[in-house]
Amino acid sequence: MSAEATNPEAHPEARPELRRRGRTRLDLRRLGRAALLGPTSRDRLPDAIGHVAEAHRAHHPDADLSILRRAYLLAETSHRGQMRKSGEPYITHPLAVTLILAELGAETTTLTASLLHDTVEDTDVTLDQVRAEFGDEVCFIVDGVTKVEKIDYGAAAEPETFRKMLVATGNDVRVMSIKLADRLHNMRTLGVMRPEKQARIAKVTRDVLIPLAERLGVQALKTELEDLVFAILHPEEYESTRALIAAHAGERDPLPAIADSVRGVLREAGITAEVQVRPRHFVSVHRIARTRGELRGSDFGRILVLVGENADCYAVLGELHTCFTPVVSEFKDFIATPKFNLYQSLHTAVATPEGYVAEVIVRTRQMHRVAEAGVVALGNPYTTATPDAATTDPDEERVDPTRPGWLSRLLDWQQSAPDPDTFWTVLRAELAQDREITVFRADGGTLGLPAGASCIDAAYAQHGAAAHGCIGARVNGRLTSLSSPLSDGDTVQLLLAQDASSGPAAEWLDHARTPAARIAISSWLEAHPDRAMAPTSAARAPLSVVGARGGGGNAVADLPDATVRLAGCCTPVPPDAVAGFLVRGGAVTVHRIHCAAVAQMRAVGRTSVAVHWRATADCRVTLRAESFGRPHLLADLTEAIAREGVEVVSATVEPPVEQRVRHSYTLQLPDAAGLPALMRAMRDVPGVYDVSRV
C-alpha cells in the first residue's frame, strides 16, 4: 500500500486539525527503532504500539488488546528488512495508519486488519494464514484493501484495485476506512517523491478518495486530505492562504470573546454545553476568501457548541437567536434532515454588537463523533446482527447495515462497466456529484438518487434493464415526460411498455445523470445501431388514415329532405340526448344537449330542429387516445379497435411532443352500446394513458 511513502514531516503546516487538537506527533524513527528491537515479553504490548493501545483504550476501555499484539508481531516480522523511501522501517507505516483509525474510535477488528493491511500485498504472508490466525472478518478486510497485481492488469491495475475495494466496501465499510487512513499517511509523507508522481497521487486523492471520505462522513480525514492535496496541486494559492492564516494569527481574534458570550448566555439559560472555537482548515479559508473577498477575524473559524440531547440543540438555537441577531439565510437544520453521509448538526450565524458575524454549529456529542469519524464511529457493523444470523448461508453476499444508497448504486452500475477506462471515468463523474435526493416509489419504497436526476434515472434505478421499455411517468400524480428532473420527496410512478422491442431513445442520454442509466442506455444503443441512428420526431405533418366518410349516421331530423350532420365538437352517439340546428345550405347539425355549441347556436338565433335516433343501433364517434410514443403504437391501437368489430373511418396522428402522442379516430360502431368496451380496450394498449370522446 505504501512502499512509496516518504518524509513524515512533509507539509506539517497543512495539518491544522492535528495541531489545534494538541495531538502528539509520532516520532516514526523512534517507532522504527522500537520495531527493530523485536518482540517484548508475552505479557505486555510491544512499546512500538503503545500509542495505538492508548488511543484505542480512550474509546474502548474494555478492549482486548491481545489480538493487536499478535497482529503487530506478525506485521513486524513479515515487514522486517523492508524500508520506506524516507528511510524508516516499513512497519512504521501500518503503525501510523492504525493510530489514525484508533484516534477516530475504530474497533479492534479494524485496527487488527489495519496492522496487517500490507502483509499479503508486500510480504510472503498469505490470506489463508491471516484467516487461520485472525478469523474470516480480518481476512476479508485485508483482502479488500490488497491491490491487484500490476503484472496481471498492467495500466488497468489502479482502476481495478479501486473496483475491488469498492465491491469489498459494499460488504464491509471498514475496508474503505483503512484505505482512507492509508492514503492519509501516504499523503503526509509524500515529500521525497518526484513532483510528477506527487501530482498523480494527489489528483487521484482529489477525484476519488476525498469524495469517498465525504460520502462516508469521515470529515477528520477528508479535511486533512484536502489540505495536503491543495499544497501539492495548487502551491501558489496554498502559500498565499498560509500567509493569510499566519497574518491572522498575529491579530486579535474576536471568536474567543464571542465564544465567552455564548457560554454566558447558555449558562444563564441553564443549558449545559461545551463551547469551542474551531479554526477552519486551509481549503475552507481559501474558499471563504474567494467568496467574501477580504476576510475579517471571525471568518477564520467557527464556534462549536456540544450538548447532551437533541432537544438541547434546539434550546441552544433559541437562546442564540434571542440574545444575538441571527443571520436567517445561514440557518440549516441537518438534524431533522440529515445529510446522506450521516452528518447531523444545526448551522446558524449570528451578528454581534461589534459587527462581527460568527458561524455557529450546534450538535450533540454523539453527532460530533459521527461528524468527525463517520462510518468509523459506527463500530462493528455485525454486532447488531439478528439472533439467527449464524444460520445464514455463508455463500450469500454479506450485507452491511451501514451501506448507504450511493454505494449500492455504484456497486450496481460497476457490473455493467467491464472496461477499466469506462469504470474509472464514470466513477470520478459519479463521485463529483455531492448531493442526494430521496424519491418515493408508487409501491411505497424509496430511491436514492443524485441531485438533478430525472425520471429516466429513477426508471433504471428501480427496474434495471426493464427500464428500456419505460414510456412515461407520473410525478406526484401528474403525467410528465421522462426528461423531467426530480426533487427531494417526489413520488414517481414509472409506466413500462409490454412490447419487448421497446427501447430507449438516443436523447435519453441528454437527461440521464446516473452512471447506471447512462451505461445501460449506451449499451442498448450500441446493440441497436439502427434505432440509435433513427431520426428524432421533429415537426412533421400529422399522419392521416381516411376511409369512407359518412354524414349523420343514424340521426334523423324532423325536416324533410334535410342533410343531417353529426357535430365534430361533441360526436353524439345513441343514446345521447341531442339537439339539432339549421345551418347554411339547409343542413341540420346535431350536437349533444350539453355541448357548449348548443348555447352558442341559440345565442345567434339558429333555428332549432327536432332530432331523434333511428331504431338501428350503429353509430359514428370520434375518440382521442393520449399515449406515450413507442414503436408499433399505431398498429397496436388499430388492432385493438378491429378486435372490437369497429370500422375505422379516419385516423390522425399528431407529431410527438415530449415523447407524448395524440391519436384521433373517427369510428363506425355496429352498436353504440359497445362504446365503453371499445374505450377500455384502447386504454389497455401499452403506452395509452387516456381515451376520451372528442
Side-chain angles (χ1 to χ4, degrees), residues 448-578:
L449 298 169
S454 66
C455 296
I456 294 171
D457 298 302
Y460 282 96
Q462 180 174 348
H463 297 293
H468 292 329
C470 193
I471 53 179
R474 292 181 186 270
V475 177
N476 301 325
R478 301 185 64 179
L479 285 164
T480 187
S481 64
L482 287 173
S483 61
S484 298
L486 296 168
S487 300
D488 195 40
D490 281 347
T491 298
V492 58
Q493 177 187 2
L494 300 159
L495 309 175
L496 302 183
Q498 303 301 316
D499 186 356
S501 66
S502 296
E507 54 264 31
W508 285 18
L509 288 171
D510 297 333
H511 307 289
R513 296 290 177 269
T514 58
R518 296 187 62 82
I519 290 173
I521 295 166
S522 298
S523 299
W524 192 93
L525 293 174
E526 289 174 6
H528 301 80
D530 53 328
R531 291 288 298 279
M533 299 301 294
T536 57
S537 53
R540 64 175 187 266
L543 169 65
S544 296
V545 181
V546 184
R549 293 187 179 272
N554 53 355
V556 178
D558 292 346
L559 189 64
D561 301 323
T563 302
V564 178
R565 298 173 182 167
L566 298 179
C569 55
C570 57
T571 58
V573 297
D576 292 341
V578 291

Side-chain angles (χ1 to χ4, degrees), residues 244-245 248 255 278-280 285 295-301:
L244 195 64
I245 293 174
H248 166 69
L255 284 177
R278 300 261 293 181
R280 292 184 185 274
V285 171
L295 298 183
R296 303 188 66 188
S298 58
D299 292 329
F300 287 87

Side-chain angles (χ1 to χ4, degrees), residues 342-366:
L342 310 176
Y343 180 87
Q344 288 183 287
S345 292
L346 295 177
H347 286 213
T348 189
V350 295
T352 67
E354 296 77 19
Y356 291 109
V357 174
E359 293 185 33
V360 184
I361 300 173
V362 186
R363 59 175 68 136
T364 66
R365 290 175 177 80
Q366 174 61 19

Side-chain angles (χ1 to χ4, degrees), residues 35-120:
L36 289 175
L37 294 176
T40 59
S41 61
R42 301 183 63 87
D43 59 347
R44 72 184 187 91
L45 288 166
D47 292 339
I49 55 171
H51 288 75
V52 173
E54 180 183 351
H56 188 39
R57 279 281 169 83
H59 293 277
H60 304 277
D62 300 326
D64 180 8
L65 301 181
S66 61
I67 190 173
L68 292 181
R69 179 183 187 281
R70 291 189 289 115
Y72 168 75
L73 292 178
L74 176 59
E76 190 279 323
T77 54
S78 60
H79 287 299
R80 188 173 296 173
Q82 294 178 346
M83 307 295 287
R84 309 190 82 212
K85 287 195 174 182
S86 54
E88 292 90 12
Y90 193 86
I91 188 62
T92 59
H93 170 67
L95 279 170
V97 171
T98 306
L99 180 61
I100 291 170
L101 292 168
E103 291 180 324
L104 288 175
E107 39 71 57
T108 309
T109 301
T110 304
L111 301 186
T112 303
S114 176
L115 285 168
L116 301 169
H117 78 270
D118 274 342
T119 55
V120 174

Side-chain angles (χ1 to χ4, degrees), residues 123-305:
T123 75
D124 293 332
V125 174
T126 66
L127 284 173
D128 288 338
Q129 288 177 281
V130 174
R131 181 181 293 106
E133 184 70 20
F134 300 99
D136 289 337
E137 281 195 8
V138 172
C139 178
F140 182 88
I141 297 171
V142 171
D143 183 35
V145 295
T146 299
K147 292 179 182 177
V148 301
E149 292 289 344
K150 196 164 187 178
I151 193 171
D152 295 328
Y153 287 88
E158 185 170 42
E160 288 301 330
T161 293
F162 272 96
R163 189 201 297 262
K164 176 174 177 280
M165 288 181 188
L166 287 167
V167 171
T169 300
N171 282 336
D172 195 327
V173 292
R174 294 175 290 186
V175 171
M176 192 54 66
S177 299
I178 294 176
K179 176 59 183 175
L180 291 171
D182 171 78
R183 179 54 61 94
L184 175 57
H185 183 244
N186 283 342
M187 289 294 298
R188 286 176 180 174
T189 58
L190 207 61
V192 299
M193 292 287 183
R194 299 187 309 274
E196 60 271 18
K197 193 159 190 178
Q198 290 186 37
R200 182 184 67 80
I201 294 173
K203 286 177 181 176
V204 173
T205 304
R206 176 196 64 193
D207 295 344
V208 178
L209 286 161
I210 288 176
L212 284 171
E214 170 73 15
R215 279 158 174 70
L216 294 173
V218 195
Q219 294 296 320
L221 302 187
K222 179 224 174 191
T223 53
E224 189 174 349
L225 284 171
E226 281 185 326
D227 285 347
L228 292 166
V229 167
F230 184 41
I232 293 172
L233 296 183
H234 306 282
E236 293 181 0
E237 293 175 321
Y238 170 78
E239 285 300 326
S240 65
T241 304
R242 187 174 68 83
L244 195 64
I245 293 174
H248 166 69
E251 300 175 354
R252 177 181 173 273
D253 188 349
L255 284 177
I258 298 174
D260 286 339
S261 298
V262 171
R263 290 189 190 97
V265 166
L266 299 181
R267 192 183 307 114
E268 291 181 7
I271 300 173
T272 303
E274 178 184 351
V275 182
Q276 305 175 6
V277 175
R278 300 261 293 181
R280 292 184 185 274
H281 65 292
F282 276 52
V283 171
S284 179
V285 171
H286 175 67
R287 289 172 181 157
I288 292 293
R290 292 183 61 182
T291 303
R292 301 179 185 174
E294 184 177 354
L295 298 183
R296 303 188 66 188
S298 58
D299 292 329
F300 287 87
R302 294 185 288 190
I303 293 175
L304 173 66
V305 180

